[in-house]
Amino acid sequence: MNNYIINPYKLWSIKGIGNLIETISPQTYEILLNLHTSIKDIRYKTALTKNVLTYSLFEEIDIETINRCNGLCSFCPVNKNIDTRPYHLMNETLFKSIIEQLHNLDYNKIVCLFCNNEPLLDNRIYEFAEYTRSRLPFAKIIINTNGSVLTPEKFNRLILNLDLLIVDNYNDKLELNPSIKTLVKTCLFKDKYIDKVQIVLRKQNEILTSRSGQAKNRKTVKTLSSPCVYPYMQLSIRSNGEVSMCCNDALGEETLGDTNKESLKDIWYGNKFKEIRQKMLINRNLNSICKKCDSIVIPTNIR
């Protein structure tokens, strides 16, 4: 059963050492985080060129069907105590329209049925996952959850239509939370789930990237020179159907399209995305949100 559980804090790596330092001195850790980001920036800025950042169709689409989370993570700009977004559920007709468009595009890449939310707070998520699987049989369907409302019954219903279920177990003592402990005891003894489930031990108060300047527990942000690949590979749809710059824009400060009025393809190849990409290749700081972001996503073909 331990094969399902990932504990990055025990890894002897930059991340593992960093989290030890973070526990002792968050201020020191943030200095090291900026240094580490600088090294990654130098390493990849020459590789992230027009040869890598193409204008092909997105490789990942994130669909947020409810814009709420019940978590208290200090690094998240939309945890339940500070979320400023008006409550919204995605219209079911809109959701199915998005999936039908993907079907017509023969889409076979990543579909995330979540973004900046806890997807299991939407009771329709099970039907949505089933519908997505039926219309996109070759896509990789992923859900990321904190597992707080995940029961064995819900797990068995959900896992049928997923390729990957990631459960972030947020616990500052790195202990399994009750609902996840129950899941491990009752469901995760079957080998057929070994490639479909990951339980990641996480802390609620870790210091991560700046989330386009929206993370509340970051005091400083390293200015980067390399472009970001998100505008070239990810389409992120909020629960109201509007398209964000990327998944880091949790508050929807930048809107590049509206799926209520435009097709996925028209948005992806539209003028707003083109302008973002052109500016990104020159300097990410030309984009209002990106200049506050220290996220570096490495394309798989240069890792």
Side-chain angles (χ1 to χ4, degrees):
M1 288 188 292
N2 289 335
N3 291 332
Y4 295 100
I5 301 174
I6 300 170
N7 184 358
Y9 294 88
K10 289 186 177 180
L11 298 178
W12 186 253
S13 62
I14 291 178
K15 182 172 177 60
I17 297 172
N19 281 301
L20 176 62
I21 297 172
E22 179 186 358
T23 302
I24 299 171
S25 172
Q27 295 82 6
T28 301
Y29 174 74
E30 194 163 356
I31 293 171
L32 293 176
L33 184 64
N34 282 336
L35 177 61
H36 183 220
T37 302
S38 298
I39 295 171
K40 289 171 66 179
D41 190 37
I42 294 171
R43 180 180 175 188
Y44 294 111
K45 67 181 179 181
T46 55
L48 298 176
T49 63
K50 291 181 180 179
N51 293 328
V52 174
L53 304 178
T54 64
Y55 290 83
S56 58
L57 192 65
F58 45 86
E59 298 179 7
E60 174 187 320
I61 182 168
D62 300 347
I63 308 172
E64 183 180 88
T65 68
I66 183 173
N67 66 345
R68 280 295 177 273
C69 185
N70 56 359
L72 294 171
C73 304
S74 61
F75 56 82
C76 182
V78 292
N79 76 56
K80 73 175 185 178
N81 284 345
I82 61 173
D83 194 347
T84 59
R85 302 173 298 179
Y87 174 80
H88 200 280
L89 273 175
M90 177 173 282
N91 182 280
E92 183 174 348
T93 301
L94 176 60
F95 177 84
K96 290 184 175 180
S97 170
I98 292 168
I99 300 302
E100 286 304 313
Q101 290 181 64
L102 295 173
H103 171 79
N104 293 333
L105 290 168
D106 293 323
Y107 187 77
N108 61 359
K109 299 189 177 179
I110 296 174
V111 179
C112 294
L113 298 181
F114 69 95
C115 193
N116 291 288
N117 68 330
E118 169 47 55
L120 271 62
L121 293 181
D122 185 349
N123 293 327
R124 307 168 301 170
I125 197 67
Y126 311 97
E127 288 82 5
F128 284 172
E130 183 179 4
Y131 186 81
T132 303
R133 172 57 69 210
S134 68
R135 302 302 290 159
L136 303 174
F138 302 110
K140 183 174 183 179
I141 305 173
I142 302 174
I143 281 184
N144 194 313
T145 173
N146 61 31
S148 58
V149 298
L150 187 61
T151 65
E153 293 75 20
K154 291 178 178 178
F155 171 84
N156 288 326
R157 187 178 177 191
L158 193 61
I159 198 66
L160 292 173
N161 296 299
L162 299 183
D163 293 281
L164 181 61
L165 176 67
I166 302 172
V167 182
D168 284 326
N169 182 93
Y170 292 109
N171 184 300
D172 283 343
K173 294 182 179 180
L174 300 181
E175 298 173 351
L176 289 180
N177 294 327
S179 61
I180 301 173
K181 187 179 295 185
T182 299
L183 184 70
V184 170
K185 288 181 178 179
T186 59
C187 297
L188 297 185
F189 57 87
K190 300 177 182 178
D191 290 340
K192 65 180 181 179
Y193 296 143
I194 199 68
D195 296 322
K196 297 184 71 173
V197 180
Q198 294 178 4
I199 298 174
V200 187
L201 300 183
R202 301 279 302 272
K203 292 182 179 180
Q204 272 193 335
N205 298 299
E206 32 183 18
I207 299 175
L208 302 173
T209 61
S210 67
R211 300 291 297 278
S212 72
Q214 297 174 16
K216 300 300 182 182
N217 66 352
R218 284 296 301 274
K219 307 303 180 191
T220 61
V221 179
K222 172 63 183 176
T223 301
L224 304 180
S225 57
S226 63
C228 177
V229 300
Y230 272 137
Y232 299 86
M233 54 80 66
Q234 181 194 70
L235 193 70
S236 185
I237 305 175
R238 305 196 295 271
S239 59
N240 63 1
E242 294 178 345
V243 174
S244 296
M245 170 80 77
C246 73
C247 60
N248 282 311
D249 184 13
L251 298 175
E253 293 184 0
E254 188 80 38
T255 298
L256 304 185
D258 187 346
T259 58
N260 294 286
K261 305 172 183 177
E262 308 164 82
S263 71
L264 300 179
K265 197 169 182 180
D266 286 346
I267 293 171
W268 184 249
Y269 292 110
N271 290 332
K272 289 187 178 181
F273 257 114
K274 285 182 180 179
E275 182 181 354
I276 291 296
R277 295 179 186 122
Q278 289 167 358
K279 288 181 179 179
M280 185 68 77
L281 286 175
I282 299 171
N283 190 324
R284 76 159 64 191
N285 294 305
L286 294 175
N287 293 320
S288 59
I289 288 183
C290 305
K291 68 181 180 182
K292 299 178 289 184
C293 191
D294 56 6
S295 176
I296 297 181
V297 183
I298 310 305
T300 55
N301 57 346
I302 62 169
R303 283 178 179 166

